[in-house]
Amino acid sequence: MKTIGLLGGMSWESTAGYYRWINEGIKERLGGLHSGKIILNSVDFAELEKLQHSGEWQRIGELLADAAHSIEAGGADFLLICTNTMHKVADEVAAAIEIPLLHIADATAGKIIAEGVTKVGLLGTRFTMEQSFYCGRLSENHGIEVLVPDLLQRQQVHDIIYNELCLGEVNQGSRKTYLHIIDDLAQRGAEAVILGCTEIGLLVKPDDTAVTLFDTTEIHARSAVEMALT
C-alpha cells in the first residue's frame, strides 16, 4: 500500500471527510483492521483565506509548496490538495515536489466521463466558478462543458461556503438556496452538478435532488484509495 499525502485544513471540516472516505475505502477493499497509510499537513486556513481575498496567490503557492515538501519528506508516495479552490496554485505545488499530485479536477472528470455526462453545472467558491484553472481544465483537458450560476447566485454560493460551511454550520435556508441554484442549472441543460467545494457535501446530499451530484471530496478520496492500492 502506498502512503497518501494530504495537504489539508482548507477547511478542516472537509479534511475530516477525506480522512473518513479514505479509511472507509481501504477497509472496503482490504477488510479486517486495514486502514490507510496517511501523512497529513493541516494548515491554518485563516491565514490563507485572507491571502485569497486580497489576491496574494503567489504567497499562497509558496506556503502550500512548503507544506507539500514537508509531506513528501515525511514519506508520502503521492499528494492530494484537499480543496478545489487551492488547485489554482496546483502547478506551483507540483513543481516543488518529486512525488505525483492527484489533481481533484482530473479525478472528478474521470468520474463524470465514466457516467456518460458531457455537460455539468459547477458550484464552488467564486474563485473556482469564475476562473479558468478549474473550468478550463475540465473543458480543455477532458471535453466537459461547464455551466456556472449567475452573478448573484455565485455570490450566494461563495458566502455560504465561507460564512457557514467552513465553520461547520449547516443551515436549512442555505440548503434551499443551493437546491434552487442546482435546479436552475438543470433547467439550463446541466445533466449533473459538481459540488466543486469540498465543504458543499456537508450541506447538499444526493437524496436532496433529482439531479446527479458529483461530490469532489468523495471522488478525490476514493481516487486516492485506488492510487494507493495500485
Side-chain angles (χ1 to χ4, degrees):
M1 186 194 308
K2 298 184 181 72
T3 299
I4 302 168
L6 298 181
L7 179 45
M10 302 168 283
S11 67
W12 72 263
E13 295 282 349
S14 62
T15 303
Y18 271 89
Y19 190 78
R20 178 173 58 85
W21 281 115
I22 289 171
N23 282 296
E24 287 181 353
I26 294 292
K27 183 178 179 180
E28 288 172 5
R29 292 285 298 275
L30 301 182
L33 297 177
H34 285 288
S35 57
K37 294 181 179 180
I38 298 170
I39 295 174
L40 168 64
N41 186 325
S42 186
V43 301
D44 181 3
F45 188 42
E47 177 184 3
L48 295 173
E49 184 272 336
K50 291 178 182 178
L51 294 173
Q52 284 181 337
H53 286 96
S54 61
E56 298 180 63
W57 292 99
Q58 181 177 347
R59 180 56 180 156
I60 291 173
E62 293 169 354
L63 291 171
L64 294 190
D66 286 345
H69 183 70
S70 74
I71 294 170
E72 179 182 32
D77 294 301
F78 62 97
L79 177 73
L80 280 69
I81 304 174
C82 302
T83 161
N84 289 272
T85 299
M86 292 304 193
H87 278 74
K88 180 176 172 66
V89 296
D91 289 344
E92 291 87 336
V93 173
I97 55 178
E98 299 295 328
I99 58 176
L101 186 149
L102 179 56
H103 199 290
I104 196 168
D106 294 338
T108 301
K111 180 67 172 177
I112 292 169
I113 292 168
E115 295 292 328
V117 174
T118 59
K119 181 186 285 189
V120 297
L122 173 64
L123 301 181
T125 66
R126 288 193 63 171
F127 309 113
T128 300
M129 292 186 288
E130 296 177 355
Q131 299 180 24
S132 62
F133 71 91
Y134 200 92
C135 295
R137 193 177 186 99
L138 291 175
S139 60
E140 295 168 14
N141 292 15
H142 302 284
I144 299 169
E145 184 177 352
V146 182
L147 304 176
V148 297
D150 64 33
L151 179 59
L152 175 60
Q153 291 174 334
R154 293 199 299 273
Q155 190 63 54
Q156 290 175 318
V157 171
H158 181 94
D159 288 344
I160 289 169
I161 290 169
Y162 280 95
N163 298 333
E164 298 175 19
L165 299 179
C166 286
L167 299 173
E169 298 177 9
V170 177
N171 297 319
Q172 293 300 319
S174 297
R175 178 178 286 113
K176 291 179 180 178
T177 298
Y178 268 53
L179 292 177
H180 173 72
I181 295 171
I182 289 170
D183 186 58
D184 280 355
L185 289 168
Q187 291 185 29
R188 288 169 53 197
E191 303 166 62
V193 173
I194 299 172
L195 305 184
C197 178
T198 48
E199 285 82 17
I200 298 178
L202 301 172
L203 182 66
V204 180
K205 308 295 183 182
D207 292 341
D208 292 333
T209 176
V211 179
T212 299
L213 302 178
F214 291 106
D215 185 337
T216 54
T217 303
E218 179 183 356
I219 293 169
H220 204 199
R222 290 194 176 276
S223 295
V225 170
E226 291 300 319
M227 193 167 181
L229 296 180
T230 298

